[in-house]
Amino acid sequence: MRTEAAAKERGAMANDRPETIDVTGAGHWKPVLGLSDEPGERTALPVRPGTVFDQPEPDPLIELTVIVPARNEQDSLGACLQSLVSQSEDIFEIGRDWELIVVDDQSTDRTPQIASEIARSVAGVTVLPAPALESGWTGKNNAVFTAARRARGRWLLFTDADTVHEPGNLRRALHEAARHKVGVLSYSPRQIVTGLVQRSLMPLIFCELALAYPPAKVSDPNARIAAANGQFLLVEREAYRRLGGHAGVSDKVLEDVELAFLAKRRKVGLWFRYAEDAVSTRMYRSTAALMEGWTKNLALLFHNALALSIWRVLDIVLLIGLPWLAISLWNARLSPHSLEWLGVGWVLILLWARNLVRFYRRVARSNFPFLDCAISPLGLPLFSLLLYRSWFQHRMLKRVSWKGREYPA
């Protein structure tokens, strides 16, 4: 009955034309962590008063609420939850200073049982079922917003079920956000990859991400670039309210980046960095899941996905074609001009070497191990294909799929 009531309330909120909150108007705007003396963009949040959080403000608030959405995550959820609950200590005790909420998003495997076993053995862990998915919502947004509205924490950490957190990570993240005086802090985790496909492809994707979203510029309040990683997204409670919660990005497939842009526009402060010291993740456990996941995301991460696909095809041509052409010229025996052709061959080899150095300098930005970067040229054909496939589904078919659900692109 509670699930049905929540679904009806959510549906009414999504389908009606709600009374909106002007968070920047006189008497309504509240600064976050003293970040600015002026409000951000004047925007009405798409929520009614009181719907970001279900209950009245707890007094006092606890320090942190960790929210983990999980849909068919039986292979990874146990390790994720253990890495979180093990961070409970005398000065930062789960159930007293912080809480953990796991949202089962209509899983068909052992995900709810794994979560329930942890909840029974550790006080402060709650398992919630995600309400029925309403029109205009993605599954993840629906799940995390269900938990966020019940959160009692002064900070909310949204983290994925495939992450593993280093000891002390939670308290360090809170201190880091306070040190930088930001309302949103996000980490890019260390990526765990297995098999030739993942090890050659993932460095290519993450080097392009590092180039498109340089952490220094993302964290600069004066730069327009914004990014966040939903695998680790820490948001201060009042900042979350000013962003409109996940209701403000309910239909967005790439909700983390959308929230990051809102954070910059509404001046709640954003800090983003690569954090191998804090959290790691194994994003995909099969090639099929990898292809589905990146097809869903690449065209949203790179607005020039088709052009980028063509450039990566050019990389293939240059890396393979230039040495092949040079060797062909050296073996041509084109007398009496053989010396001239030999010189042309060496020029081509020098161009190939220059292109190879530039390629590896770019891939080195991915933060992947040396060997994975070294074999990354093998991933170029698949990377180019995924870029085109993502562009085609988003721009032409206007539909993407993820974990058994289809969403409008």
Side-chain angles (χ1 to χ4, degrees), residues 155-184:
W155 289 86
L156 282 66
L157 171 61
F158 303 97
T159 188
D160 285 354
D162 55 11
T163 57
V164 174
H165 299 255
E166 296 297 321
N169 169 36
L170 300 183
R171 284 204 302 128
R172 285 198 303 269
L174 293 173
H175 293 160
E176 186 172 356
R179 184 171 68 252
H180 293 291
K181 297 183 179 180
V182 294
V184 178

Side-chain angles (χ1 to χ4, degrees), residues 54 67 77 92 106 261 289 291 370 405:
D54 276 342
I67 296 171
L77 182 62
F92 190 62
Q106 302 176 17
F261 275 105
M291 294 188 66
F370 172 81
R405 291 169 172 157

Side-chain angles (χ1 to χ4, degrees), residues 1-80:
M1 294 298 292
R2 290 182 181 177
T3 302
E4 293 177 1
K8 289 179 180 178
E9 182 182 352
R10 173 120 356 124
M13 182 178 65
N15 298 325
D16 294 347
R17 296 181 60 85
E19 176 187 353
T20 56
I21 309 170
D22 183 356
V23 294
T24 63
H28 290 285
W29 177 74
K30 178 180 178 182
V32 179
L33 301 177
L35 292 173
S36 64
D37 296 327
E38 298 295 333
E41 67 170 8
R42 184 172 295 274
T43 308
L45 302 185
V47 289
R48 289 191 177 118
T51 57
V52 173
F53 300 105
D54 276 342
Q55 75 286 331
E57 292 291 273
D59 188 18
L61 293 168
I62 62 175
E63 190 69 16
L64 173 69
T65 296
V66 180
I67 296 171
V68 180
R71 177 173 170 82
N72 296 332
E73 297 282 3
Q74 65 178 13
D75 293 332
S76 58
L77 182 62
C80 172

Side-chain angles (χ1 to χ4, degrees), residues 44 118 197 242 250 255 318 373:
I118 298 289
V197 171
R242 283 182 63 187
S250 61
E255 82 292 334
L318 293 176
C373 293

